Amino acid sequence: MTVTDVEVGKVIIVEGKSDKKKVECVIKEPVQIICTNGTISLSRLDELIEELFSMEVFVLVDSDEAGEKLRKQFKREFPEAAHLYVDKMYREVASAPEQHVASVLLSANIDVHAKFL
C-alpha cells in the first residue's frame, strides 16, 4: 500500500515497527505512518517526497545517532517536514511512555486518545 492509497492528510515518519505500534496506539485520527527501518536510500527518499508533497509530514525518530542521522537527511532533502522530538531521557520513541508520545503528537495538532493525556 502506498501513501496515496489512504485518504489522509498527515503522515508520520518513524524508524521502526515498534515505533509505529507505539504511535498507532496513541493517535485517534487517520494518519499514515511510514517506517524507514532506520535508514532510507536517496532514491526512496525522492519517491517519498513526491508521494508526500501535498501532505502534512512529521518526522518522529529516536534521539540516538541513527535517529539524528535520519533526521538530518530529512531536514536536508525534505525541509517542509515538521520534526517532532521525544525527550532525550527516553532516547527511543518505542520506549517513551504513551502519555509522553501523546503530548508530543498533540503539540503538532495530531489528535490523540484522551486516555493518554
Side-chain angles (χ1 to χ4, degrees), residues 92-114:
E92 299 174 351
V93 174
S95 62
E98 282 92 354
Q99 291 82 358
H100 179 68
V101 173
S103 69
V104 168
L105 296 171
L106 194 61
S107 72
N109 293 319
I110 297 170
D111 199 12
V112 298
H113 293 289

Side-chain angles (χ1 to χ4, degrees), residues 3 16 25 30 60 67 69 83 103 109:
V3 174
C25 85
L60 179 61
K69 185 177 179 184
H83 290 264
S103 69
N109 293 319

Side-chain angles (χ1 to χ4, degrees), residues 22-116:
K22 175 73 71 158
V23 172
E24 280 176 334
C25 85
V26 170
I27 57 173
K28 190 175 173 182
E29 65 179 287
V31 174
Q32 177 74 25
I33 303 170
I34 298 173
C35 287
T36 66
N37 297 313
T39 60
I40 191 166
S41 69
L42 204 50
S43 60
R44 176 64 184 127
L45 185 56
D46 286 342
E47 287 173 22
L48 208 52
I49 290 168
E50 273 186 44
E51 287 178 41
L52 304 178
F53 185 72
S54 63
M55 302 176 119
E56 203 174 346
V57 179
F58 301 92
V59 177
L60 179 61
V61 295
D62 297 342
S63 296
D64 59 11
E65 192 176 327
E68 289 306 316
K69 185 177 179 184
L70 193 58
R71 189 180 295 283
K72 281 181 185 167
Q73 188 177 7
F74 273 99
K75 282 182 176 178
R76 186 175 54 247
E77 303 295 333
F78 194 22
E80 300 83 7
H83 290 264
L84 306 176
Y85 299 83
V86 293
D87 192 296
K88 286 190 186 297
M89 71 185 221
Y90 302 120
R91 290 187 50 81
E92 299 174 351
V93 174
S95 62
E98 282 92 354
Q99 291 82 358
H100 179 68
V101 173
S103 69
V104 168
L105 296 171
L106 194 61
S107 72
N109 293 319
I110 297 170
D111 199 12
V112 298
H113 293 289
K115 68 181 180 180
F116 296 117

